[in-house]
C-alpha cells in the first residue's frame, strides 16, 4: 500500500506543472531516488512526465487536466483528497475503483497521448475509435462480454468474443487486455485495430487479477508482450551512457561506471524485437558484448536496413 500512496503523492506534487528535482521528491517522500524513478515509470504508463535535463532540470508533468470531478463519486473524491493530505487507507477496493475511473478518463481524452520511444509522435484517433473506447469503458465497468472484429498486425480479420478487463496505454498506443473465449486465453488487442465492436447483454464473473498479470508481464521486460530472454552485457559510450544510467530499465540491472564516462550495462532482459529497437536507438554509442546471438540478430537487421538504402 505504501508504494501506491507515494506514487499518488508524487502525482499530486507534480500536478501544478512545475519542475521538481528527483532528489527533492525523494526527500519529500522519504524514499531513495531509485524508488522515485520506479514511481515515475509507473506514472509514465498513464501520464506524460517530461525529464528536463541540466542543473535547473527535473520532472515536469505535461498533462494538466484531471477530470476527477466529472467521474468520481463524493466518497471516491474524499479518498483522493485524503491521499493528498498524507492519510493512508485500508479500503483498497474502493480506492482501486477510483483509480480505474481516473485511468479510463485519461484514456478517453484523445489529447492526452504520449509516445515513449518517439516522443514527438501522436497516434491518429478517429471518431470511430473514440466511440469504441467509450463502449469498451462501459463494458469493462459493467462486466459485459463483447464481440470484436479485429485486424491483426498481418492484416488478417477475425471475429472474437471476449471478456474485457482493462484499458491501458503502452508507448502511446491504447490497448485492451481481455480473455478470448474461443482460445480460453488472455490476449492484448490494440484499439486502433478494432474495426467493429458489439457490447452483448451477457455478463461475466471473473477473479482474474489483471493488475498483477500486467505487472508480472512487465517484470524485467522492455515491453508487456512475451519475448526472448537475454543475458545482456553492453558497453555504452557518452553521451548515451548518461541517458541510460539515469533510468531503471529493469529491476535487476547493474551499471558499472567507466573512467571515460561510459558504462557497462548488465541485465537479464526480455523483449525480443523491442530489445533490438532499444539497442538500435542508441546508434553507434552502444557495443553488444554479450550474448553472441543478439549480435547476430543485430547484424542481420542492419544488413536488411543497408540493403534498402543500396537499391
Amino acid at each position: 500500500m505504501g508504494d501506491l500512496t507515494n506514487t499518488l503523492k508524487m502525482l499530486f506534487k507534480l500536478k501544478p506543472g512545475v519542475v521538481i528535482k528527483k532528489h527533492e521528491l525523494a526527500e519529500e517522500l522519504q524514499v531513495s531516488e531509485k524508488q522515485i524513478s520506479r514511481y515515475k515509470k509507473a506514472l509514465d504508463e498513464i501520464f506524460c512526465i517530461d525529464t528536463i535535463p541540466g542543473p535547473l532540470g527535473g520532472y515536469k508533468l505535461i498533462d494538466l487536466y484531471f477530470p476527477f470531478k466529472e467521474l468520481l463519486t463524493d466518497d471516491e473524491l474524499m479518498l483522493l483528497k485524503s491521499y493528498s493530505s498524507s492519510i493512508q487507507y485500508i479500503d483498497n477496493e474502493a480506492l482501486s475503483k477510483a483509480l480505474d475511473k481516473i485511468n479510463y478518463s485519461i484514456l478517453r481524452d484523445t489529447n492526452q497521448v504520449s509516445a515513449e520511444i518517439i516522443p514527438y509522435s501522436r497516434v491518429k484517433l478517429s471518431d470511430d475509435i473514440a466511440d469504441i473506447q467509450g463502449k469498451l469503458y462501459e463494458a469493462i465497468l459493467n462486466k459485459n462480454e463483447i464481440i470484436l472484429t479485429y485486424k491483426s498486425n498481418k492484416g488478417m480479420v477475425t471475429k472474437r468474443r471476449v471478456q474485457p478487463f482493462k484499458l491501458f496505454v503502452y508507448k502511446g498506443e491504447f490497448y485492451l487486455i481481455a480473455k478470448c473465449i474461443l482460445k480460453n486465453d488472455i490476449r492484448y488487442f490494440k484499439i486502433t485495430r478494432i474495426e467493429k465492436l458489439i457490447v452483448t447483454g451477457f455478463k461475466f464473473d471473473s477473479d482474474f487479477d489483471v493488475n498483477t498479470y500486467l505487472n508480472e508481464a512487465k517484470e524485467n521486460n522492455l515491453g508487456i508482450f512475451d519475448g526472448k530472454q537475454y543475458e545482456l552485457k553492453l558497453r555504452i559510450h557518452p553521451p548515451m551512457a548518461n541517458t541510460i544510467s539515469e533510468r531503471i530499465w529493469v529491476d535487476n540491472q547493474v551499471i558499472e561506471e567507466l573512467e571515460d564516462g561510459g558504462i557497462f550495462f548488465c541485465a537479464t532482459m526480455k523483449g525480443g524485437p523491442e530489445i533490438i529497437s532499444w539497442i538500435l536507438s542508441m546508434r553507434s554509442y552502444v557495443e553488444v558484448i554479450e550474448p553472441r546471438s543478439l549480435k547476430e540478430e543485430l547484424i542481420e537487421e542492419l544488413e536488411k536496413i543497408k540493403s534498402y538504402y543500396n537499391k
Side-chain angles (χ1 to χ4, degrees):
M1 194 66 181
D3 283 348
L4 178 57
T5 304
N6 281 335
T7 305
L8 277 173
K9 286 180 182 178
M10 178 170 162
L11 177 60
F12 276 99
K13 288 290 179 185
L14 292 169
K15 186 177 183 296
V18 296
V19 177
I20 305 179
K21 294 184 180 299
K22 187 192 292 187
H23 74 83
E24 291 175 352
L25 288 167
E27 291 173 5
E28 181 77 22
L29 301 180
Q30 296 183 341
V31 297
S32 66
E33 291 188 30
K34 189 173 183 179
Q35 192 65 27
I36 292 296
S37 296
R38 289 194 182 97
Y39 297 155
K40 180 182 180 295
K41 184 177 180 181
L43 290 170
D44 274 339
E45 297 180 12
I46 301 169
F47 300 93
C48 183
I49 300 174
D50 197 9
T51 301
I52 310 296
L56 299 179
Y59 293 155
K60 181 178 181 181
L61 180 66
I62 304 301
D63 302 311
L64 299 180
Y65 175 58
F66 292 76
F68 296 166
K69 193 171 182 181
E70 294 92 330
L71 288 166
L72 303 184
T73 66
D74 291 339
D75 289 341
E76 291 165 348
L77 280 169
M78 287 302 296
L79 282 173
L80 289 171
K81 285 178 182 178
S82 55
Y83 258 119
S84 65
S85 302
S86 303
I87 300 174
Q88 295 188 12
Y89 290 92
I90 300 173
D91 192 357
N92 294 358
E93 184 177 352
L95 178 60
S96 178
K97 183 179 178 182
L99 291 176
D100 275 345
K101 285 188 178 181
I102 295 172
N103 292 349
Y104 290 136
S105 73
I106 293 166
L107 290 174
R108 294 176 75 184
D109 185 348
T110 57
N111 292 322
Q112 303 294 333
V113 186
S114 63
E116 188 173 316
I117 299 300
I118 308 175
Y120 303 109
S121 68
R122 287 185 179 273
V123 179
K124 295 180 180 178
L125 295 177
S126 65
D127 291 339
D128 290 341
I129 296 298
D131 181 59
I132 285 172
Q133 283 181 307
K135 288 179 179 178
L136 284 172
Y137 169 75
E138 298 297 336
I140 290 168
L141 291 181
N142 296 322
K143 293 188 178 297
N144 288 108
E145 291 184 0
I146 58 177
I147 299 173
L148 304 176
T149 301
Y150 190 74
K151 187 175 184 179
S152 73
N153 195 34
K154 295 181 179 179
M156 184 181 298
V157 178
T158 58
K159 279 193 175 182
R160 316 280 189 95
R161 190 182 187 100
V162 305
Q163 297 173 347
F165 295 129
K166 191 178 185 73
L167 281 169
F168 63 97
V169 176
Y170 172 64
K171 293 184 179 176
E173 297 271 17
F174 298 98
Y175 286 86
L176 168 71
I177 181 171
K179 179 180 179 180
C180 178
I181 296 174
L182 177 64
K183 300 293 185 180
N184 192 30
D185 196 14
I186 303 301
R187 299 293 172 92
Y188 299 103
F189 299 93
K190 185 180 284 190
I191 304 306
T192 53
R193 294 188 189 145
I194 297 176
E195 297 189 341
K196 188 176 180 182
L197 183 148
I198 298 173
V199 180
T200 75
F202 293 95
K203 300 283 187 178
F204 67 91
D205 290 317
S206 175
D207 57 0
F208 176 66
D209 189 341
V210 63
N211 293 320
T212 298
Y213 184 91
L214 286 171
N215 286 335
E216 289 176 353
K218 290 184 293 184
E219 187 176 358
N220 295 331
N221 198 333
L222 278 186
I224 56 169
F225 310 113
D226 291 336
K228 191 183 297 184
Q229 181 168 298
Y230 299 90
E231 299 296 328
L232 277 184
K233 186 171 183 180
L234 310 176
R235 178 166 184 157
I236 304 172
H237 301 278
M240 186 58 68
N242 296 328
T243 301
I244 297 301
S245 62
E246 287 171 352
R247 295 192 62 182
I248 297 172
W249 301 91
V250 291
D251 286 338
N252 67 66
Q253 71 187 40
V254 176
I255 293 176
E256 177 188 345
E257 295 183 358
L258 304 175
E259 291 184 1
D260 64 359
I263 60 171
F264 276 126
F265 178 95
C266 300
T268 300
M269 253 188 204
K270 293 181 289 185
E274 296 201 314
I275 289 181
I276 300 288
S277 297
W278 179 59
I279 291 175
L280 288 176
S281 73
M282 293 186 244
R283 300 162 56 200
S284 59
Y285 300 111
V286 61
E287 298 175 56
V288 176
I289 309 300
E290 295 178 2
R292 178 66 193 176
S293 61
L294 180 58
K295 287 185 182 182
E296 292 170 354
E297 289 179 67
L298 283 163
I299 291 170
E300 183 180 345
E301 194 68 26
L302 289 169
E303 287 296 333
K304 288 180 183 177
I305 294 171
K306 184 179 177 181
S307 68
Y308 298 149
Y309 287 95
N310 287 336
K311 288 180 180 179

